[in-house]
Amino acid sequence: MSLNTPYLDCARSAALEAGAFLREHFGSELNVNALEKHDIKLELDVQTQELITQRLLGTFPDHALYGEEGIAGNPASDFQWIVDPIDGTVNYFYSIPHFCISIALREKKTLLVGVIYDPMRDEMWAVERGGEATLNGKPIHVSGRTELSEAVLSVGFSKTGTTINAGLPMLEKMVHRARKCRLMGSAALDMAYISCGRLDAYIEQGISLWDVAAGILLIEAAGGKVEMNPRPDNKDKYSIVASNGKLDLAD
Ligand code: LIP
């Protein structure tokens, strides 16, 4: 039984508004805040998070917000919005139309709501704790594939030499065992694709909570499984194995 709270509608509205903003600026000249070896930070990331923050904290002023571009609101609140305003920023910068907005809400450590919106395909994944995972309002579920040889997996390499080196052995093994491996550059869309059966698993070694929080609730509600472990070298980064819950991904 879903919670039937106002949180999901507010998250969807914020994601739609941010999506329209990103579509409007897609392909235009972009202000770059930082050019790193394996990452790019855009002024648009900051502006999009500000837009989302206004919508969410304007409706729930006593809440906290923890996003890729900073924190806002009441840090003492039990209710915390977890936001990635542009998941797939490097794709966005290179005009690759594969990115999304990811918004989750948790009460203490319990995820209540998750929304992932792809503005280029107008695809909205949404879920409320206890309710069905949906794509554009229709119920979704993970794939039924049980054999790795039939599976399509996504692998991410995050942003540092350490996480790239940590991910390579897994990729080398999986690329021979799976039907295909993909590296698509958006963790949140990888999670959303698992929830609706387009992908069968996603593995990354140095992901942030805002990249995957909404996707965790979506995948679990759609019948899948997510394992996350803090990295020993950085407590704010996680190794993640998300899947349809039917594949043997052990070493
Ligand atoms: C991205 C993730 C992707 C990861 C990238 C980056 P961002 O998020 O979605 O899976 O490999 O390094 O972290 O930074 O574009 O929001």
Side-chain angles (χ1 to χ4, degrees), residues 4 10 13-14 27 44 85-86 95 100 102 106 121 126 133 175 183 200 202 214 217 231:
N4 198 20
C10 189
S13 301
L44 208 64
I86 310 176
S95 297
C100 64
S102 182
R106 68 179 178 184
R121 294 177 186 78
V175 77
L183 287 80
D200 304 299
Y202 154 64
L217 197 57
R231 284 190 58 80

Side-chain angles (χ1 to χ4, degrees), residues 38-39 41 45 68 84 86-90 156-159 185-188 190 202 204 207 210-211:
H38 301 299
D39 196 25
K41 306 296 289 174
D45 285 293
E68 182 164 21
D84 191 343
I86 310 176
D87 185 67
T89 301
V90 173
F157 281 98
S158 207
K159 309 181 178 190
S186 170
D190 289 343
Y202 154 64
E204 187 151 353
I207 207 65
W210 50 68
D211 293 314

Side-chain angles (χ1 to χ4, degrees), residues 143-236:
S143 74
R145 283 179 284 272
T146 58
E147 298 301 324
L148 206 45
S149 58
E150 300 170 341
V152 177
L153 317 182
S154 178
V155 179
F157 281 98
S158 207
K159 309 181 178 190
T160 69
T162 302
T163 55
I164 290 170
N165 288 335
L168 283 173
M170 171 66 81
L171 177 63
E172 184 172 11
K173 183 178 65 174
M174 287 299 171
V175 77
H176 292 290
R177 294 171 60 189
R179 172 155 284 148
K180 280 291 184 183
C181 286
R182 300 288 187 236
L183 287 80
M184 300 198 292
S186 170
L189 281 179
D190 289 343
M191 304 283 279
Y193 282 23
I194 291 171
S195 73
C196 63
R198 293 178 185 170
L199 284 175
D200 304 299
Y202 154 64
I203 301 165
E204 187 151 353
Q205 301 303 327
I207 207 65
S208 299
L209 183 60
W210 50 68
D211 293 314
V212 296
I216 291 169
L217 197 57
L218 268 171
I219 288 174
E220 290 175 348
K225 182 178 152 192
V226 181
E227 292 171 36
M228 278 223 336
N229 294 294
R231 284 190 58 80
D233 55 356
N234 182 341
K235 66 176 177 50
D236 294 327

Side-chain angles (χ1 to χ4, degrees), residues 14-138:
L16 286 168
E17 193 176 341
F21 181 68
L22 292 176
R23 267 197 309 269
E24 180 190 338
H25 291 84
F26 186 69
S28 62
E29 196 70 29
L30 298 168
N31 291 328
V32 176
N33 288 347
L35 273 179
E36 296 170 13
K37 188 172 183 183
H38 301 299
D39 196 25
I40 293 177
K41 306 296 289 174
L42 299 174
E43 180 57 25
L44 208 64
D45 285 293
V46 175
Q47 293 168 323
T48 307
Q49 182 163 315
E50 282 169 359
L51 183 157
I52 294 167
T53 301
Q54 282 167 20
R55 167 71 73 160
L56 296 176
L57 299 191
T59 309
F60 304 105
D62 293 339
H63 286 187
L65 187 140
Y66 170 68
E68 182 164 21
E69 303 311 320
I71 59 177
N74 172 14
S77 175
D78 286 346
F79 291 87
Q80 184 182 65
W81 294 94
I82 304 168
V83 174
D84 191 343
I86 310 176
D87 185 67
T89 301
V90 173
N91 285 352
Y92 190 95
F93 178 75
Y94 282 82
S95 297
I96 299 169
H98 188 78
F99 58 89
C100 64
I101 297 105
S102 182
I103 299 173
L105 174 67
R106 68 179 178 184
E107 181 180 10
K108 294 184 180 169
K109 295 290 184 193
T110 303
L111 287 166
L112 300 181
V113 156
V115 161
I116 294 171
Y117 182 53
D118 174 345
M120 304 309 280
R121 294 177 186 78
D122 194 26
E123 290 190 314
M124 175 75 77
W125 286 266
V127 64
E128 192 170 44
R129 176 166 291 282
E132 287 181 317
T134 62
L135 169 54
N136 290 350
K138 295 187 173 62

